[in-house]
Amino acid sequence: MATSPARTALAAPAPSAVPAVHRWRSPRGRRHLGSQLLFYLAVAVVVLIALFPFFWILRTSLESNSEFVQGVGGANGLIPAHLTLSSYIDDFTQLHFLTPLINSAIVALATTVVTVVVASLAGYALARLPIRGGGVILTFVLLAGFFPVLAMVGPLFLLYRDFGLLDNIYPLILTYLVYTLPLATWLLRNFFAQIPKELEEAALVDGASRLQTLRKVVIPVSVPAVFTAGILSFILAWNDFAFALSFLDSPSHFTAPLAIVIFGQSQFQTFYNRIDAAVVVITIPIAILVLIAQRRIVSGLTAGSLKG
Amino acid sequence: MATIELDHVTKVYPNKNQAVSDLSLDVADGEFMVLVGPSGCGKTTALRMVAGLEEISGGTVRIGGRVVNDLSPKERDVAMVFQNYALYPHMTVAENIGFSLKLRHLDKAEINRRVQEAAQTLGLEGMLNVKPASLSGGQRQRVAMGRALVREPAVFLMDEPLSNLDAKLRVQMRAEVSRLQRRLGVATLYVTHDQIEAMTMGDRVAVLAHGVLQQCEAPQTLYDHPANLFVAAFIGSPAMNIYQGGLESDDGQVAVRLGDQRIVVPPSELKERPALAQYGGRQVAVGIRPEHLAVGHELPDNPSVLHAEIDLLESLGAEVIVHFRIKADHIRPEGAAAEGEDQTLPLAIGAGGSDKTAPGVARVDPRVQLKVGQSVTLVPDTEHLQFFDLETGATITS
């Protein structure tokens, strides 16, 4: 631009700069800055409160037995001088933590797979097929998902005892499905219902059967919701304590959360460092899962509220 | 290659809403049939019944002579293009186009060949590995077309495939779709609410209103000889001017009175519409198309003129659309209120005065000097007057 600066200034008296300065100096601007500071402070406090227990678990898990005994209650400081993996090693060698981990993995993965498959079919049927009383079915499905866990334990215990299913990890899968299926069905139904009908109709005209339409069009389009349903199911099954405690008896059948409880127990002392090491271990798969699927989970959880 | 026959087809929804009533329609092999009508007239329902996406409540649908009433869409061998394209968002363009072939377990090389061929036909070669999300509206539309034509189906069904495109692209795709259809020679049922699309694309046009077929003819026949008031008002842009007038017959001469104006019906019209004689002394609907009105002077040998006041002028370059008001009783049949951006409807500016005036439209040569507010004499080409029964809305013919 070859125009002289003076002429430009005359022609346009810097419309953008003036209000900017004005805003910066106004009391309203200062209040804005103050409220922003307050906001970040509040965020920091919340994050600290949320993460401190995790930090403490990690810290304790890295102490050796002897150090832990000396420094009960955090006497070794926020970060102890000697960090060691000995409690992790103890967990896997002396306490055979691998067995309950495998049990948990079997139960959680099986629950997840069955949930995703069955809930997809059920959700699709409820979303699309002309089912008489579909709304009522959906309400009941949702109600079942919120049934109190402890109210289920007693009746199920009696039932499993009569069928000889106690102290066996496989009936646990059935139990978890009682909770994962309703939630997943509801979630997927709502997602499916939002997929444009024409998409499925296009597939039908293209020569797909209903099941092919579900498998090749609806499910791939619903990846976020399927992921969300899968991860929620996995977490529920992986974290369960109440049912495992009630139905399992021999340590070789324990799931991980149940096994952890007996880890710390010695005759005179509870070794929280061993418990915490195991807690860190069982948290890892969940953390990885959530991190991998973070973006998808978020879009899946919000998909129900916003029309895509 | 096949025909489509709808034989007294009816659709009643569970809520007793009758979407299509007793629709009979034959689409010949290779024919481009357009189903047109205002929204909610049942045209899409009719199309969906042919596709197998909607149950048929009554009557028979045949494709290639075979009754398909109880067949699934898969078994009917139809290809359909949807209004919103309905492309599979998780598949690439090539996968979208080839999806139907894959479902039929064709081998990979064959699928590839046919997808390439379809892509070439539609100018999609460079985009085969792209997902639909990154395509423009026109490109998506082409993919949707590609998905239909790669199948080499018995019939094509298209549900307002161009309505989501902008005006310019729509005009371009209109020609492209017509050309493609003619080249492939596959019977096509095409649904649209846009009468211009219907007129320009169809070999024949079926006009539907309230689920009832009004008329099914070649576009020009539809335009020149509408079967009733609905078709007359619906087809044509700007729409036909329709007024209520009294028919007077006076020693062999038949005239129609519009306000204080008297238009003599020429003998040729009387000959073409012998039934007109029975309407002497009765009120009828008189229609005249905008292009059959000329700005001129009253001549001694032709007293049949209209005295109009110009309301609004719309210059289109090649012609000027003159909106005027005349002393007459206006009739606005429901077809006149058809949607569609390309339609120039008579504007009812300043309506409701003490004197009964009615709006009208004329297409005039731009060289004629006109001003808004000016009083002009309009000379109707009386050879092209249309007459309709006021009660039934049907054209008065024989």
Side-chain angles (χ1 to χ4, degrees):
Chain A
M1 292 287 143
T3 45
S4 76
R7 222 186 121 210
T8 327
L10 269 178
S16 61
V18 171
V21 170
H22 192 71
R23 205 188 308 137
W24 188 247
R25 281 187 188 158
S26 74
R28 207 172 142 234
R30 228 176 292 145
R31 214 182 310 146
H32 181 68
L33 197 74
S35 71
Q36 236 184 6
L37 262 172
L38 213 69
F39 170 74
Y40 283 114
L41 202 73
V43 169
V45 169
V46 169
V47 168
L48 211 70
I49 291 174
L51 288 185
F52 188 76
F54 287 104
F55 165 73
W56 203 253
I57 288 168
L58 189 68
R59 173 204 170 278
T60 308
S61 74
L62 293 170
E63 284 184 312
S64 67
N65 284 351
S66 55
E67 264 176 319
F68 173 74
V69 173
Q70 284 164 16
V72 175
N76 290 339
L78 216 56
I79 298 171
H82 304 286
L83 296 178
T84 166
L85 291 174
S86 68
S87 38
Y88 288 88
I89 295 163
D90 287 351
D91 277 354
F92 281 98
T93 52
Q94 293 176 28
L95 301 167
H96 309 290
F97 191 40
L98 199 60
T99 311
L101 270 183
I102 290 172
N103 286 342
S104 268
I106 292 172
V107 173
L109 284 175
T111 303
T112 306
V113 170
V114 175
T115 300
V116 167
V117 171
V118 175
S120 294
L121 291 167
Y124 183 69
L126 284 169
R128 282 291 190 256
L129 304 184
I131 299 173
R132 218 177 267 269
V136 179
I137 294 173
L138 200 66
T139 310
F140 271 105
V141 160
L142 202 60
L143 270 179
F146 290 123
F147 205 74
V149 169
L150 288 177
M152 293 274 288
V153 167
L156 274 180
F157 181 86
L158 298 177
L159 198 70
Y160 286 173
R161 190 191 57 192
D162 289 352
F163 281 102
L165 294 173
L166 287 177
D167 200 19
N168 183 336
I169 59 168
Y170 297 102
L172 280 181
I173 298 169
L174 212 64
T175 316
Y176 297 151
L177 287 175
V178 173
Y179 286 93
T180 59
L181 268 181
L183 231 73
T185 304
W186 189 74
L187 191 91
L188 287 171
R189 187 218 87 103
N190 285 350
F191 198 91
F192 291 161
Q194 289 200 344
I195 297 174
K197 258 194 175 131
E198 288 88 349
L199 214 57
E200 293 159 51
E201 287 172 349
L204 288 176
V205 173
D206 264 349
S209 64
R210 272 276 173 201
L211 270 181
Q212 278 174 319
T213 306
L214 178 64
R215 195 157 52 84
K216 296 190 171 174
V217 175
V218 177
I219 299 271
V221 169
S222 313
V223 163
V226 173
F227 249 81
T228 308
I231 286 180
L232 289 180
S233 309
F234 186 87
I235 290 176
L236 189 139
W238 182 260
N239 286 348
D240 166 71
F241 182 73
F243 289 116
L245 176 70
S246 313
F247 301 154
L248 301 178
D249 192 30
S250 35
S252 66
H253 293 156
F254 279 6
T255 56
L258 200 53
I260 289 171
V261 177
I262 60 164
F263 275 12
Q265 286 163 8
S266 78
Q267 211 169 342
F268 311 106
Q269 173 100 39
T270 307
F271 284 106
Y272 285 110
N273 55 336
R274 289 179 172 178
I275 293 182
D276 287 352
V279 168
V280 170
V281 170
I282 67 164
T283 308
I284 287 171
I286 303 267
I288 290 175
L289 256 179
V290 171
L291 281 179
I292 289 175
Q294 195 179 31
R295 230 188 247 167
R296 298 189 157 160
I297 272 200
V298 170
S299 60
L301 286 176
T302 55
S305 56
L306 284 166
K307 201 159 168 72
Chain B
M1 308 291 143
T3 56
I4 309 170
E5 292 159 67
L6 284 87
D7 197 2
H8 300 286
V9 169
T10 297
K11 173 71 191 183
V12 185
Y13 282 109
N15 61 7
K16 304 274 183 256
N17 179 15
Q18 184 136 3
V20 175
S21 309
D22 198 30
L23 174 64
S24 292
L25 199 65
D26 287 352
V27 185
D29 193 10
E31 188 179 23
F32 197 123
M33 171 73 84
V34 177
L35 263 180
V36 70
S39 54
C41 72
K43 55 194 191 296
T44 295
T45 306
L47 188 80
R48 289 168 57 86
M49 282 194 282
V50 177
L53 296 172
E54 205 81 63
E55 234 171 275
I56 299 161
S57 313
T60 319
V61 174
R62 274 182 228 101
I63 295 174
R66 183 172 62 130
V67 176
V68 296
N69 279 38
D70 298 322
L71 297 184
S72 67
K74 181 183 173 172
E75 297 160 303
R76 296 191 186 194
D77 194 20
V78 298
M80 184 157 166
V81 179
F82 292 81
Q83 180 171 4
N84 57 7
Y85 317 139
L87 301 181
Y88 312 121
H90 58 292
M91 297 184 197
T92 63
V93 169
E95 286 166 341
N96 258 286
I97 296 176
F99 184 61
S100 60
L101 304 179
K102 208 169 135 195
L103 285 173
R104 280 193 275 164
H105 304 293
L106 264 64
D107 67 84
K108 261 200 179 132
E110 172 70 6
I111 292 178
N112 246 328
R113 191 187 63 75
R114 279 165 73 167
V115 169
Q116 287 291 347
E117 201 179 277
Q120 210 162 21
T121 310
L122 293 159
L124 287 169
E125 295 105 317
M127 303 157 211
L128 282 175
N129 296 315
V130 179
K131 297 253 172 82
S134 54
L135 298 179
S136 70
Q139 289 166 337
R140 285 181 206 190
Q141 214 285 328
R142 272 168 226 262
V143 177
M145 292 291 301
R147 203 167 57 179
L149 68 89
V150 78
R151 302 249 317 263
E152 297 169 13
V155 297
F156 278 137
L157 305 175
M158 302 190 192
D159 187 8
E160 310 220 11
L162 305 183
S163 63
N164 282 359
L165 301 178
D166 61 68
K168 203 164 182 182
L169 199 55
R170 187 160 45 200
V171 173
Q172 186 193 332
M173 284 306 288
R174 212 155 70 192
E176 228 168 280
V177 171
S178 301
R179 213 172 294 135
L180 198 63
Q181 193 273 341
R182 271 174 193 125
R183 208 179 75 201
L184 297 171
V186 174
T188 301
L189 197 53
Y190 184 106
V191 162
T192 181
H193 66 260
D194 181 353
Q195 56 93 13
I196 296 183
E197 233 170 66
M199 292 289 285
T200 51
M201 298 175 83
D203 290 326
R204 276 193 302 157
V205 177
V207 183
L208 231 64
H210 303 299
V212 179
L213 181 65
Q214 306 294 315
Q215 194 175 6
C216 177
E217 288 291 349
Q220 197 60 49
T221 316
L222 216 55
Y223 188 83
D224 294 337
H225 306 286
N228 56 34
L229 270 175
F230 182 90
V231 177
F234 187 79
I235 299 291
S237 170
M240 184 187 281
N241 303 304
I242 300 169
Y243 307 103
Q244 184 177 334
L247 213 59
E248 301 171 346
S249 88
D250 190 4
D251 59 86
Q253 194 188 50
V254 175
V256 59
R257 180 163 287 284
L258 297 174
D260 54 0
Q261 301 139 117
R262 193 163 175 274
I263 311 259
V264 176
V265 182
S268 61
E269 274 279 290
L270 290 176
K271 207 168 155 194
E272 204 180 308
R273 303 167 187 273
L276 217 47
Q278 296 153 28
Y279 282 80
R282 285 166 66 184
Q283 295 281 310
V284 292
V286 186
I288 179 124
R289 295 226 176 254
E291 62 270 31
H292 296 138
L293 284 170
V295 177
H297 306 283
E298 199 169 338
L299 297 170
D301 61 328
N302 183 14
S304 303
V305 293
L306 300 169
H307 303 291
E309 189 173 318
I310 297 178
D311 227 15
L312 176 73
L313 294 167
E314 290 177 314
S315 177
L316 300 181
E319 62 187 11
V320 175
I321 308 288
V322 181
H323 295 261
F324 60 82
R325 301 194 74 83
I326 59 167
K327 283 205 180 103
D329 285 326
H330 187 213
I331 295 179
R332 191 159 184 172
E334 47 167 344
E339 66 224 285
E341 300 135 31
D342 293 339
Q343 259 160 323
T344 326
L345 291 172
L347 289 168
I349 296 169
S354 58
D355 253 328
K356 251 191 204 166
T357 64
V361 185
R363 305 166 81 145
V364 177
D365 193 291
R367 281 168 296 187
V368 182
Q369 294 296 316
L370 295 170
K371 281 201 303 282
V372 172
Q374 185 185 350
S375 292
V376 291
T377 302
L378 294 173
V379 184
D381 181 351
T382 49
E383 304 275 329
H384 290 102
L385 287 177
Q386 305 274 352
F387 295 92
F388 306 93
D389 187 300
L390 268 179
E391 264 152 53
T392 62
T395 299
I396 300 169
T397 49
S398 49

